[in-house]
Amino acid sequence: RDGLSTTVLGQTIVYRETIDSTNNLAQELANNGAMEGTLVIADEQQQGRGRRGRNWFSPPHSGVWMSLILRPQLPLAHAAQITLVTAIALAKALTRLTGVQAGIKWPNDILFNKKKCCGILTEMHAEFDQIHHLVLGIGINVNVPQEDFPEDIQHIATSLQAVKGTPIPRAKVVQVVLEELEPLYRQYVADGGFGTLRDQWKAHNITLGNEIIAHTAQGTIQGRALDIDEFGVLLVEQPDGEQKKIYSADIMFA
Ligand code: BTN
């Protein structure tokens, strides 16, 4: 907490040396009334989770594995947009920390030179149509030498150290991320959504304008990523000119 200049995020910190997943503990604490901004952080996760049931590589001493509890008073329909807001904060923070431009791959990956350095896993709990709480899980590969990534992710993963060339203290990474996120989160709550932050998202994105392949629950769509709307929905133009809206997907560059 030393040197942290935020007023909400990270005012309460729960630290564990080892844990199954920081998202699990954050869910439990949130269900028991933990305050908005409570941060759960661990040195190592035994069962770090990624999107779509994937595993998240979370070895000790190497990364920032953390989850924030948020309680925005917004309709459930707006909950997914927090991921885009968080991606803006992360792109800014990781660029500041490394001196190298980080880019956002829709919806929730932060990349350096097309390799992923950071992912976001947002989980939510609703009551009727209102958000009860959100758990914002953030995983950042910090001090992992490039050759230390497991072979299966070696070509798609990177770390801040690999990008910058020198290690970065993890406490500093947490501090910069929270400081970038707090003002954006405030704006998202005040505006009731992602809309006014859209230009900032676009300024950091590396998705729009590119040919992509999107794997959605309804099937695969290939085309050019044209734009995102004020809800964060991705618009793709297919080769026949038809435009499709993509609400949720994993995307790859074609
Ligand atoms: C993804 O890109 O698929 C999302 C990765 C999210 C990883 C973080 S690490 C902290 C938090 N706890 C988890 O189990 N997952 C998230």
Side-chain angles (χ1 to χ4, degrees), residues 21-23 45 48-51 56 66 116 119-121 137-139:
S21 155
T22 55
N23 267 33
Q45 295 186 117
R49 288 186 277 123
R51 287 172 78 224
W56 181 262
M66 69 182 197
K116 179 162 166 174
I120 308 164
L121 179 67
I138 299 173

Side-chain angles (χ1 to χ4, degrees), residues 8-141:
V8 177
L9 305 184
Q11 289 307 295
T12 304
I13 299 179
V14 178
Y15 173 78
R16 295 279 188 277
E17 209 155 296
T18 184
I19 201 169
D20 53 352
S21 155
T22 55
N23 267 33
N24 292 352
L25 179 56
Q27 286 284 4
E28 197 182 309
L29 296 175
N31 283 323
N32 288 307
M35 268 183 17
E36 161 143 289
T38 300
L39 178 73
V40 178
I41 185 160
D43 184 52
E44 171 188 28
Q45 295 186 117
Q46 305 275 0
Q47 289 171 50
R49 288 186 277 123
R51 287 172 78 224
R52 298 173 185 258
R54 279 187 297 245
N55 203 43
W56 181 262
F57 174 67
S58 325
H61 324 310
S62 320
V64 167
W65 325 127
M66 69 182 197
S67 303
L68 274 168
I69 298 171
L70 301 177
R71 302 184 179 280
Q73 301 200 340
L74 294 177
L76 179 60
H78 297 223
Q81 296 167 34
I82 187 66
T83 300
L84 300 161
V85 175
T86 307
I88 302 171
L90 285 164
K92 287 175 140 179
L94 303 192
T95 300
R96 239 173 90 188
L97 286 160
T98 58
V100 179
Q101 188 68 46
I104 304 171
K105 191 181 99 177
W106 186 91
N108 74 326
D109 295 349
I110 310 298
L111 278 64
F112 285 102
N113 310 320
K114 298 209 166 166
K115 286 186 173 180
K116 179 162 166 174
C117 175
C118 167
I120 308 164
L121 179 67
T122 306
E123 295 176 323
M124 56 199 84
H125 184 85
E127 255 164 33
F128 303 101
D129 285 340
Q130 283 289 120
I131 297 171
H132 179 267
H133 66 255
L134 297 176
V135 168
L136 197 58
I138 299 173
I140 310 170
N141 303 325

Side-chain angles (χ1 to χ4, degrees), residues 183-245:
L184 294 171
Y185 174 63
R186 258 183 228 288
Q187 192 172 343
Y188 158 81
V189 173
D191 296 349
F194 162 72
T196 58
L197 297 169
R198 187 167 154 231
D199 287 342
Q200 282 202 53
W201 186 92
K202 284 191 180 185
H204 292 279
N205 104 87
I206 51 163
T207 312
L208 303 183
N210 290 308
E211 280 293 315
I212 59 152
I213 301 166
H215 298 289
T216 76
Q218 288 76 38
T220 300
I221 294 171
Q222 181 159 358
R224 201 162 68 90
L226 287 184
D227 204 358
I228 56 162
D229 70 12
E230 71 268 38
F231 306 109
V233 175
L234 183 67
L235 192 64
V236 172
E237 184 180 50
Q238 295 179 300
D240 62 4
E242 191 194 339
Q243 295 186 0
K244 280 248 161 83
K245 283 187 171 183

Side-chain angles (χ1 to χ4, degrees), residues 140-173:
I140 310 170
N141 303 325
V142 183
N143 294 322
V144 186
Q146 188 64 41
E147 61 275 15
D148 284 8
F149 282 103
E151 205 171 325
D152 56 324
I153 59 171
Q154 181 64 243
H155 61 297
I156 52 168
T158 195
S159 73
L160 299 184
Q161 176 180 336
V163 169
K164 189 173 190 218
T166 53
I168 302 176
R170 286 177 293 161
K172 173 82 182 164
V173 176

